[in-house]
Amino acid sequence: MIASVLPTYTRAPLAFVRGEGSWLWTADGSRYLDLGAGIAVNALGHAAPELVATLTEQAGKLWHVSNLYRIPEQERLADMLVAQTFADTVFFTNSGTEACELAVKMVRKHFYEKGQPERTEILTFSGAFHGRSSAAIAAAGTEKMVKGFGPLLPGFVHLPWGDLDAVKAAVTETTAAILIEPIQGEGGIRPAPEGFLKALREICDATGTLLVFDEVQCGVARTGKLFAHEWAGVAPDVMMVAKGIGGGFPLGAVLATEDAASGMIAGTHGSTYGGNPLGCAIGAKMIEIVTAPGFLDEVSRKAGFLRQRLEGLVAAHPDLFEEVRGQGLMLGLRCKLPPADLVKAAYAQNLLTVPAADNVLRLLPALTISEDDMAEAVRRLDAAATALETQPA
Ligand SMILES: Cc1ncc(COP(=O)(O)O)c(C=O)c1O
């Protein structure tokens, strides 16, 4: 008999009832060190006091009014994002997938309104993940995600990751946009090769193509910059954001330049819940916290500490690990065994990690994790690795 919850997930036999910072507790009182942070969502850890205060204060005032009216909390968060980024305008969603949907619509509408309706194609890359809607699975094109769900939304061209020649050959008069994660998350913590984003920007500038960054996983301070693309010194025309911006509350956004967004006039897009006062109050608190002086430097300092410890772990277990990769607190351990084995062995050490493609174990801790907790996490990973090495074949 089918489970009452549609069985689309492979879940660990763990259920948590309480969280604080980088720790989670099960009902029987067992404590787990969380290096997944809800897959890069709980950027300030669990039950962050500032977010709890903002949530409860706003909950006592106003949750939802619909976008029939002006929403001051939404306007405030949009103003903050515009002030801090390349963007001139923002649309709020409830998830990364919805941000992907709008990004796709926006770039196509841009060219339609400019009298180039033939420019509908969007170039994407192998290993990409943009969500699970029909557009997002068509964009990524991974067999596992699309099989059985056709006919797929047409207009996506899939290119090998990091292959500049392939991009140059694929940009034609029907190309609307290039869509890329500056650091692939689900694809295995794969940063774009050095100089790649800059080269994409140049191609886009030369051909009038729009550049879309998916910063759903790598954005909002995770890499030690507010957005990961800042490391490359280039800006997109459109950017998808979610996960960390809500710190655990479902919130996403599409940021865009005025030109890229020029087709999105009244009536062209909407959302019942997107941009509600509750989510936007929390989003504004998140942005206020991560842009406060010193926050990003502290993320980079913590990242340096964790990375150094992980390099030591790789050196200590050369039969299990290949390398550490990623940026800031978006780190991956490339494994020589299925990462799911390691995730399982880590559960036995009361440590939570996340598997990814390309044989990578993902480490996405709260950006506020303490040095002690990072050191403890690496000790537990070491114990998990040792257990795997010494278990009978
Ligand atoms: C890069 C990227 N884009 C889009 C998504 C989809 O976001 P959501 O699950 O909030 O719909 C994800 C989720 O993991 C992601 O990592």
Side-chain angles (χ1 to χ4, degrees):
M1 199 173 74
I2 194 165
S4 60
V5 175
L6 189 72
T8 60
Y9 299 102
T10 309
R11 299 177 194 267
L14 284 170
F16 300 104
V17 295
R18 187 167 77 79
E20 194 181 314
S22 292
W23 295 87
L24 284 165
W25 281 263
T26 57
D28 69 1
S30 301
R31 192 170 81 130
Y32 286 74
L33 182 47
D34 183 9
L35 250 62
I39 320 186
V41 166
N42 304 106
L44 302 183
H46 298 282
E50 307 94 318
L51 296 188
V52 172
T54 302
L55 176 86
T56 43
E57 192 197 329
Q58 186 63 39
K61 285 199 294 198
L62 192 64
W63 298 19
H64 176 82
V65 290
S66 90
N67 286 297
L68 290 170
Y69 313 103
R70 285 183 56 191
I71 298 175
E73 295 81 6
Q74 191 183 117
E75 292 170 11
R76 175 158 178 259
L77 177 54
D79 287 346
M80 291 168 91
L81 290 168
V82 164
Q84 293 284 345
T85 69
F86 72 95
D88 302 312
T89 189
V90 185
F91 182 94
F92 292 104
T93 67
N94 309 289
S95 69
T97 300
E98 290 164 79
C100 180
E101 289 291 322
L102 173 55
V104 168
K105 284 177 69 177
M106 184 182 280
V107 299
R108 288 180 172 169
K109 191 70 161 38
H110 169 89
F111 287 107
Y112 178 84
E113 293 295 337
K114 294 226 149 150
Q116 297 174 282
E118 70 285 358
R119 293 188 77 163
T120 57
E121 254 166 31
I122 299 173
L123 311 187
T124 63
F125 295 93
S126 55
F129 184 81
H130 302 296
R132 295 289 198 153
S133 65
S134 294
I137 61 171
T142 316
E143 200 200 341
K144 192 177 96 180
M145 282 195 285
V146 303
K147 201 172 169 195
F149 293 111
L152 296 176
L153 187 69
F156 295 98
V157 178
H158 305 110
L159 303 175
W161 173 244
D163 187 338
L164 203 53
D165 290 335
V167 176
K168 285 180 185 157
V171 174
T172 67
E173 61 285 353
T174 55
T175 307
I178 301 175
L179 165 59
I180 183 170
E181 295 156 81
I183 303 174
Q184 286 191 339
E186 306 298 310
I189 312 291
R190 294 201 294 180
E194 185 73 32
F196 192 65
L197 299 181
K198 205 164 194 167
L200 292 185
R201 181 72 271 174
E202 284 164 12
I203 292 169
C204 286
D205 288 344
T207 56
T209 304
L210 295 174
L211 185 57
V212 183
F213 287 159
D214 179 346
E215 292 234 15
V216 167
Q217 194 160 147
C218 61
V220 194
R222 178 134 302 270
T223 65
K225 298 269 191 201
L226 183 55
F227 290 102
H229 67 262
E230 294 170 36
W231 289 107
V234 293
D237 301 291
V238 178
M239 179 166 71
M240 297 152 50
V241 178
K243 291 188 181 276
I245 193 169
F249 194 91
L251 177 65
V254 173
L255 282 64
T257 63
E258 185 169 5
D259 182 49
S262 57
M264 302 306 294
I265 56 169
T268 55
H269 198 63
S271 165
T272 295
Y273 293 119
N276 63 78
L278 195 51
C280 287
I282 295 165
K285 180 51 78 176
M286 277 300 304
I287 296 299
E288 189 186 305
I289 290 172
V290 302
T291 58
F295 187 93
L296 293 171
D297 291 342
E298 191 56 15
V299 171
S300 289
R301 197 191 60 75
K302 288 174 196 289
F305 177 88
L306 181 56
R307 192 170 191 126
Q308 192 191 28
R309 293 292 168 109
L310 291 172
E311 300 282 4
L313 184 78
V314 171
H317 300 277
D319 292 340
L320 290 192
F321 301 119
E322 220 168 275
E323 59 164 345
V324 185
R325 63 194 198 193
Q327 181 127 36
L329 288 174
M330 183 175 183
L331 293 170
L333 273 174
R334 186 126 200 273
C335 304
K336 294 180 179 173
L337 73 171
D341 293 355
L342 208 76
V343 170
K344 214 164 157 191
Y347 288 146
Q349 305 297 329
N350 286 31
L351 176 71
L352 307 178
T353 57
V354 186
D358 205 27
N359 258 16
V360 163
L361 183 79
R362 260 182 295 178
L363 308 173
L364 307 156
L367 306 179
T368 49
I369 190 170
S370 69
E371 216 162 81
D372 282 353
D373 285 349
M374 287 189 283
E376 180 59 25
V378 177
R379 264 194 298 278
R380 291 179 187 213
L381 268 176
D382 184 52
T386 304
L388 281 172
E389 283 163 344
T390 54
Q391 79 185 3

